[in-house]
């Protein structure tokens, strides 16, 4: 399902699940590409059923990845259902059948998106602040419902954002301390099962959050320097120009370290459902984004104008 608003428009440093995680389509088998699209569309319909159409505007591939990973321990895949898409109302598209993994991803998407609205309301000025206020008003009811479903995650995300705000105000040059706030936010949405699977997923999504924060910081170096905005990469390396040629090697090492931990954690899960599709994302898709960001060639959604279509 396509959306009217691209996920990257909602992204900001510290927001763990908006924009960078997607498969490499050329390396997917046809059935895997179809399955990814089905889960994406199924998540959109799950959000719409639980929270209304408003939050479907902020659907992302990253939340699709969360749904896939949260459900990878299942051995069976229910047959897809066919539903009408808001973007193409005259067509019925194959959608993954609703399940706990999709509902978890829907709840997490709403909580994280609303906190992004709140953060913008606190930080932005003028028209952007007015827009953030409108989005907060429109999204509050859905957020309250999602918060009631995952109160511990919401509290952890709130605290992580407050810690990040303090680091920003102090102009903290530590990349690790800043990225840790994103790690905590992604780990917060992991299902609370109290077993080894939860611990493995917690480690996996902690490293994903760290990777996303740092990739986003590198991607935003030029913009942040122009706007005099907080960026720990700029502060850590005392950059005076947006050129990262001299620091590419250490940046690549730290990003690859997180990806290696993600891959090892995933293998410990002993995945059943969608294993090859998820491997494509973490072994190929995320390293590809890393290289593109460091090369300066990264484009949102692969350069396509619409979100939601591989």
């Amino acid at each position: 399902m396509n959306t009217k608003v691209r996920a990257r428009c909602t992204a900001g440093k510290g927001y763990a699940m908006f924009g960078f995680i997607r498969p490499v389509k050329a390396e997917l088998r046809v059935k895997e590409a179809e399955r990814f699209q089905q889960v994406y569309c199924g998540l959109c319909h799950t959000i719409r059923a639980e929270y209304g159409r408003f939050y479907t505007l902020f659907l992302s591939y990253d939340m699709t990845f969360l749904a896939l990973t949260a459900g990878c321990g299942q051995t069976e895949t229910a047959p897809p259902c066919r539903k009408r898409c808001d973007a193409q109302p005259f067509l019925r598209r194959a959608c993954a059948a609703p399940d706990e993994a999709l509902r978890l991803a829907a709840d997490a998407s709403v909580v994280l998106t609303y906190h992004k609205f709140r953060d913008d309301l606190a930080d932005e000025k003028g028209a952007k602040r007015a827009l953030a206020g409108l989005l907060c008003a429109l999204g509050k009811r859905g957020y309250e419902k999602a918060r009631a479903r995952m109160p511990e995650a919401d509290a952890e995300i709130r605290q992580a954002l407050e810690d990040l705000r303090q680091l920003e105000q102090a102009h903290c040059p530590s990349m690790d301390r800043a990225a840790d706030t994103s790690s905590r936010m992604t780990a917060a949405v992991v299902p609370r099962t109290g077993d080894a699977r939860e611990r493995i997923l917690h480690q996996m999504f902690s490293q994903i959050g760290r990777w996303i924060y740092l990739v986003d910081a590198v991607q935003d170096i030029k913009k942040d320097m122009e706007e005099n905005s907080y960026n720990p990469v700029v502060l850590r390396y005392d950059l005076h120009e947006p050129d990262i040629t001299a620091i590419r090697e250490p940046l690549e090492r730290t990003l690859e370290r997180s990806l290696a931990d993600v891959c090892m954690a995933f293998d410990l899960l002993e995945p059943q459902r969608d294993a090859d599709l998820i491997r494509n994302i973490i072994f190929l898709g995320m390293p590809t984004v890393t290289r593109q960001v460091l090369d300066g060639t990264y484009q949102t959604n692969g350069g396509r104008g619409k979100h939601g279509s591989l």
Side-chain angles (χ1 to χ4, degrees), residues 68-84:
L68 286 165
T69 307
C72 73
Q74 302 296 318
T75 56
E76 301 292 333
T77 302
C81 52
R82 301 192 70 84
K83 296 182 179 180
R84 295 191 187 277

Side-chain angles (χ1 to χ4, degrees), residues 21 34 172:
I21 304 178
E34 291 177 347
C172 177

Side-chain angles (χ1 to χ4, degrees), residues 1-3 33-34 36-38 40-42 45 80-96 307-310:
M1 175 172 286
N2 296 327
T3 60
E34 291 177 347
F36 184 86
Q37 193 69 49
Q38 289 168 10
Y40 182 91
C41 292
H45 280 285
C81 52
R82 301 192 70 84
K83 296 182 179 180
R84 295 191 187 277
C85 169
D86 283 351
Q88 296 174 311
F90 300 107
L91 297 176
R92 289 184 180 273
R93 304 191 64 171
C95 300
H307 188 73
S309 176
L310 288 177

Side-chain angles (χ1 to χ4, degrees), residues 5-310:
V5 178
R6 288 158 55 180
R8 178 65 179 163
C9 293
T10 69
K13 281 180 287 299
Y15 285 87
M17 308 294 283
F18 295 103
F20 290 112
I21 304 178
R22 58 178 291 136
V24 176
K25 184 180 180 181
E27 299 296 332
L28 289 175
R29 290 176 290 182
V30 172
K31 67 177 183 179
E32 292 167 349
E34 291 177 347
R35 170 64 176 166
F36 184 86
Q37 193 69 49
Q38 289 168 10
V39 175
Y40 182 91
C41 292
L43 177 56
C44 184
H45 280 285
T46 301
I47 293 173
R48 188 172 77 178
E50 297 291 335
Y51 298 104
R53 283 178 165 83
F54 172 73
Y55 275 107
T56 66
L57 299 176
F58 306 95
L59 178 65
S60 73
Y61 285 134
D62 297 354
M63 287 298 164
T64 306
F65 173 78
L66 173 61
L68 286 165
T69 307
C72 73
Q74 302 296 318
T75 56
E76 301 292 333
T77 302
C81 52
R82 301 192 70 84
K83 296 182 179 180
R84 295 191 187 277
C85 169
D86 283 351
Q88 296 174 311
F90 300 107
L91 297 176
R92 289 184 180 273
R93 304 191 64 171
C95 300
D99 61 12
E100 288 303 314
L102 284 173
R103 283 186 280 272
L104 169 75
D107 296 343
S109 179
V110 170
V111 169
L112 288 166
T113 300
Y114 184 79
H115 280 301
K116 173 55 184 169
F117 299 158
R118 289 290 303 274
D119 197 56
D120 284 347
L121 184 62
D123 294 344
E124 298 291 357
K125 298 178 181 179
K128 289 184 178 180
R129 189 174 190 278
L131 174 60
L134 175 61
L135 293 174
C136 283
L138 293 173
K140 185 174 182 180
R141 183 176 180 181
Y143 162 69
E144 293 293 349
K145 181 179 179 180
R147 182 176 68 169
R149 291 183 174 182
M150 46 188 348
E152 294 180 357
D154 180 74
E156 291 175 17
I157 291 168
R158 281 175 174 269
Q159 185 58 57
L161 287 171
E162 177 57 32
D163 293 344
L164 176 60
R165 192 168 290 112
Q166 292 179 11
L167 293 174
E168 291 175 346
Q169 291 173 353
H171 300 285
C172 177
S174 171
M175 292 163 50
D176 286 335
R177 289 183 63 189
D180 176 67
T181 60
S182 181
S183 296
R184 288 154 53 195
M185 280 188 275
T186 47
V189 302
V190 167
R192 309 301 171 101
T193 56
D195 55 11
R197 180 178 178 80
E198 179 186 344
R199 293 191 293 273
I200 294 169
L201 284 171
H202 189 280
Q203 172 65 14
M204 181 178 174
F205 277 86
S206 289
Q207 292 299 324
I208 287 173
R210 180 181 188 275
W211 175 82
I212 287 181
Y213 184 94
L214 294 176
V215 163
D216 191 42
V218 175
Q219 173 72 4
D220 285 349
I221 284 176
K222 181 177 180 180
K223 177 179 71 71
D224 289 341
M225 292 183 74
E226 290 174 349
E227 298 176 356
N228 196 30
S229 298
Y230 175 72
N231 189 306
V233 177
V234 173
L235 296 173
R236 165 64 178 82
Y237 293 103
D238 193 26
L239 296 182
H240 299 285
E241 298 292 337
D243 184 7
I244 64 168
T245 303
I247 62 171
R248 176 185 169 126
E249 187 174 337
L251 286 175
E252 190 169 17
R253 281 199 303 268
T254 193
L255 290 168
E256 287 179 346
R257 185 169 68 247
S258 287
L259 291 182
D261 288 343
V262 171
C263 294
M264 287 189 291
F266 178 68
D267 283 338
L268 289 174
L269 284 176
E270 300 181 353
Q272 304 295 319
R273 190 173 73 180
D274 301 316
D276 289 339
L277 173 53
I278 300 171
R279 285 195 180 95
N280 175 290
I281 294 170
I282 62 177
F283 285 85
L284 298 177
M286 294 168 71
T288 296
V289 168
T290 299
R291 290 192 297 272
Q292 291 174 342
V293 168
L294 293 173
D295 290 343
T297 59
Y298 174 78
Q299 292 180 293
T300 303
N301 195 30
R304 297 172 177 82
K306 292 182 178 180
H307 188 73
S309 176
L310 288 177

